[in-house]
Amino acid sequence: QVQLVESGGGLVQPGGSLRLSCSTSGFTWDNYAIGWYRQAPGREHEGVSCSGQLYGSTYYKDSVKGRFTISRDNSKKTVYLQMNNLKPEDTGTYYCAAHYSDHYCSGYAQGLKYNYWGQGTQVTVSS
């Protein structure tokens, strides 16, 4: 069955960095886009970044542009989210999710909630 497993979260000071990993299995890798969402306490899930399966397509929420970088290792079926210059408002539980055929992350960019989700990893940015 479809599985997504996040890792790499933790506690970091403002201005610090973390790299999240999303390891996947159970589906045809080339047919799926992978997106990262986060949820702060008392708030809705919000999309952070997406990696589409065609032409290196990516999407970033405005507030993370220039600080976060998403990458896709096809040989390992793993997606990474490099997060630099972290801010307290980046705190939350980060989830990766997969969706069939959102080639250019266009659905993700319009607020689509992806089908398959991991269990989440906690990121806390605090001094």
Side-chain angles (χ1 to χ4, degrees), residues 32-96:
Y32 281 73
I34 305 294
W36 286 95
Y37 297 82
R38 67 186 179 195
Q39 186 176 30
R43 301 188 68 175
E44 298 281 328
H45 288 94
E46 61 176 359
V48 176
S49 182
C50 172
S51 171
Q53 63 266 50
L54 294 180
Y55 308 119
S57 303
T58 58
Y59 169 86
Y60 296 94
K61 178 180 173 64
D62 282 347
S63 63
V64 308
K65 285 180 180 177
R67 300 189 297 122
F68 290 12
T69 303
I70 193 169
S71 60
R72 192 177 177 111
D73 187 330
N74 293 330
S75 66
K76 295 182 179 179
K77 298 185 179 179
T78 297
V79 171
Y80 303 98
L81 186 67
Q82 177 67 45
M83 306 187 296
N84 298 328
N85 190 21
L86 282 160
K87 303 177 180 181
E89 52 264 40
D90 294 318
T91 293
T93 303
Y94 282 68
Y95 301 88
C96 65

Side-chain angles (χ1 to χ4, degrees), residues 1 3 11 24 31 43 46 61 66-67 79 83 89 98 104 115 117 126:
Q1 74 269 23
Q3 287 192 319
L11 172 64
T24 74
N31 291 343
R43 301 188 68 175
E46 61 176 359
K61 178 180 173 64
R67 300 189 297 122
V79 171
M83 306 187 296
E89 52 264 40
Y104 303 104
N115 293 121
W117 289 65
S126 175

Side-chain angles (χ1 to χ4, degrees), residues 7-9 17-21 71 80-83:
S7 60
S17 297
L18 285 173
R19 189 177 81 154
L20 305 184
S21 300
S71 60
Y80 303 98
L81 186 67
Q82 177 67 45
M83 306 187 296

